[in-house]
Amino acid sequence: MFGLFNKNSGSESLPEWFTTLEESKERLFLFLDKLEAKMEELCNAAIPELKEQLANDEDMYKRTFHRVYAGINGQLSNIREKARDVYDEKINDLYDNLKSEVSVLHPHYDLLSKFRTECSDRYNKEFEEKYQYWRNQLEKTQERDLEIEYQKILAEYDEIKNSFNCKQCGGNITIEKIFFIDTYIACSHCQTQNTFEPSSQARNLQNFARNLAEQRVSHLLEIYHTENNKERELYHERHELSLSTIHEKDKKILAQNQSQMDDLENRRKEVIKNAPKLYHVYLRAMYDEWNKITPDLKEHHEKLYENQINY
Ligand SMILES: [Zn+2]
């Protein structure tokens, strides 16, 4: 605020609406500070609790966890909505009202556009980034779930694989692998068919195996998304460059710009070619992980894979 006053010969030269802008901006920043502190407090308290809930909950469907998780997520969304409401009401409306009075030719028009940019950056970039950060941290509490579930199933398998006995002769029957459906196993001593009934957590493996596989290779999906997003970025960069030369007459500058634009377009075409390849790398890795987790379903997985890449 002081900086702006100093730049001018005196405060009289500033329009009276300038104070309103400064006050609104200040109030928005303070309000967003508070909301960010709230998100941080909420998540810092909830995340360790959620993790503990997940680790200790015996319920296979983790219903308590999901209820609490949904509750925290809801509270986060409420905070975000509050920020949006205040931004729309106090900043956008004020800007729109003033814009109808202050034309582009107004000597202080730049104060108005600066106000808009600063508020928008604070809200759309800074606040939104923090919201997404906490949203991701919260989501990650679910991820541990599957790896832990899987470890539990492995531990259970280690325990039972040599302790299953024939109902007829009592002879030991080795469980060769993790089964997740009822399976007939012939006794090697007396040939009697025995039914092996997997535990409920082992049965559940086929329901979450794919999610677990996806989690394990999520970094590859991230690489694909980053590459894919570049397409839009390069497009916009080129577009802005083309706008910047609308009034340009200098042929040398125009030629320079054109070559820059061509360069951007070439890079964009590269990205368009490269992104699907990266997606395939992700997919193949995901299916490999999936096959490792539930090898019995490999044939089925591979059919899905073929469908997905030929789609
Ligand atoms: Zn037997």
Side-chain angles (χ1 to χ4, degrees):
M1 198 174 201
F2 292 109
L4 273 163
F5 275 97
N6 291 340
K7 268 181 228 154
N8 291 278
S9 50
S11 57
E12 307 82 42
S13 63
L14 287 167
E16 53 185 287
W17 45 260
F18 178 65
T19 320
T20 316
L21 291 186
E22 281 296 271
E23 281 171 4
S24 299
K25 189 181 91 182
E26 221 165 280
R27 271 202 298 270
L28 173 78
F29 281 29
L30 273 177
F31 185 65
L32 293 179
D33 283 347
K34 265 188 212 161
L35 291 184
E36 284 166 359
K38 226 183 210 177
M39 286 196 292
E40 189 175 345
E41 197 187 339
L42 175 71
C43 292
N44 276 338
I47 288 168
E49 248 176 71
L50 279 168
K51 284 182 179 170
E52 207 183 299
Q53 188 120 51
L54 205 51
N56 299 324
D57 192 356
E58 294 298 318
D59 174 17
M60 193 175 79
Y61 299 104
K62 310 289 178 191
R63 278 164 287 208
T64 313
F65 166 84
H66 286 295
R67 205 174 52 238
V68 178
Y69 179 89
I72 305 294
N73 228 345
Q75 286 185 57
L76 259 190
S77 297
N78 284 343
I79 292 174
R80 188 199 205 183
E81 264 170 47
K82 267 186 205 157
R84 196 190 54 210
D85 288 349
V86 164
Y87 183 78
D88 282 348
E89 231 175 82
K90 307 287 182 191
I91 305 299
N92 265 347
D93 288 0
L94 176 63
Y95 173 79
D96 288 342
N97 284 338
L98 278 171
K99 216 176 68 177
S100 57
E101 292 169 29
V102 183
S103 83
V104 188
L105 299 171
H106 191 285
H108 290 298
Y109 178 76
D110 62 318
L111 292 178
L112 185 58
S113 63
K114 190 164 168 269
F115 162 79
R116 160 82 159 212
T117 309
E118 285 176 352
C119 290
S120 169
D121 283 355
R122 179 69 184 84
Y123 165 66
N124 286 309
K125 289 186 188 160
E126 248 183 87
F127 175 82
E128 190 59 22
E129 246 169 48
K130 282 183 184 151
Y131 166 80
Q132 289 301 343
Y133 170 79
W134 287 117
R135 187 70 207 268
N136 289 340
Q137 293 303 109
L138 200 58
E139 245 168 54
K140 278 187 192 155
T141 61
Q142 282 181 309
E143 286 176 16
R144 263 193 67 203
D145 180 17
L146 301 181
E147 210 57 75
I148 288 174
E149 287 303 292
Y150 185 57
Q151 292 307 320
K152 278 186 190 167
I153 292 169
L154 290 182
E156 181 192 63
Y157 171 68
D158 263 348
E159 233 172 79
I160 59 161
K161 64 181 175 191
N162 292 319
S163 58
F164 187 65
N165 294 314
C166 173
K167 65 178 192 302
Q168 192 62 36
C169 71
N172 187 260
I173 298 174
T174 306
I175 307 296
E176 302 285 356
K177 57 187 177 189
I178 296 171
F179 290 111
F180 35 78
I181 51 170
D182 289 355
T183 308
Y184 292 118
I185 306 174
C187 170
S188 58
H189 312 284
C190 72
Q191 313 314 319
T192 301
Q193 290 285 348
N194 286 262
T195 310
F196 175 75
E197 295 174 1
S199 69
S200 49
Q201 66 176 3
R203 285 174 199 273
N204 197 31
L205 178 59
Q206 57 179 329
N207 299 327
F208 73 77
R210 181 181 178 136
N211 287 344
L212 179 58
E214 284 171 350
Q215 274 177 20
R216 286 180 176 176
V217 295
S218 62
H219 59 286
L220 294 174
L221 187 61
E222 196 69 31
I223 291 172
Y224 156 71
H225 280 312
T226 308
E227 182 74 5
N228 198 39
N229 289 340
K230 274 189 208 152
E231 190 272 322
R232 283 291 89 181
E233 284 164 23
L234 290 166
Y235 174 84
H236 286 299
E237 216 178 305
R238 186 180 182 278
H239 183 65
E240 267 171 39
L241 213 56
S242 76
L243 290 180
S244 73
T245 50
I246 283 177
H247 301 295
E248 186 59 61
K249 298 269 189 294
D250 189 324
K251 279 189 180 145
K252 210 173 147 193
I253 293 176
L254 280 172
Q256 266 176 0
N257 249 311
Q258 190 55 50
S259 101
Q260 254 182 302
M261 275 160 54
D262 292 346
D263 184 43
L264 288 168
E265 183 58 14
N266 286 338
R267 278 165 62 200
R268 196 175 76 92
K269 280 181 185 155
E270 273 301 301
V271 166
I272 291 172
K273 253 199 294 183
N274 202 29
K277 287 182 196 161
L278 290 173
Y279 189 68
H280 279 168
V281 170
Y282 158 74
L283 266 190
R284 190 58 256 170
M286 192 282 281
Y287 276 91
D288 287 344
E289 281 299 325
W290 197 8
N291 287 338
K292 266 188 243 165
I293 299 164
T294 45
D296 281 3
L297 299 174
K298 187 173 173 181
E299 207 178 309
H300 169 66
H301 298 162
E302 290 305 322
K303 268 184 205 154
L304 291 176
Y305 174 72
E306 288 301 319
N307 284 341
Q308 208 168 349
I309 57 163
N310 293 322
Y311 183 65

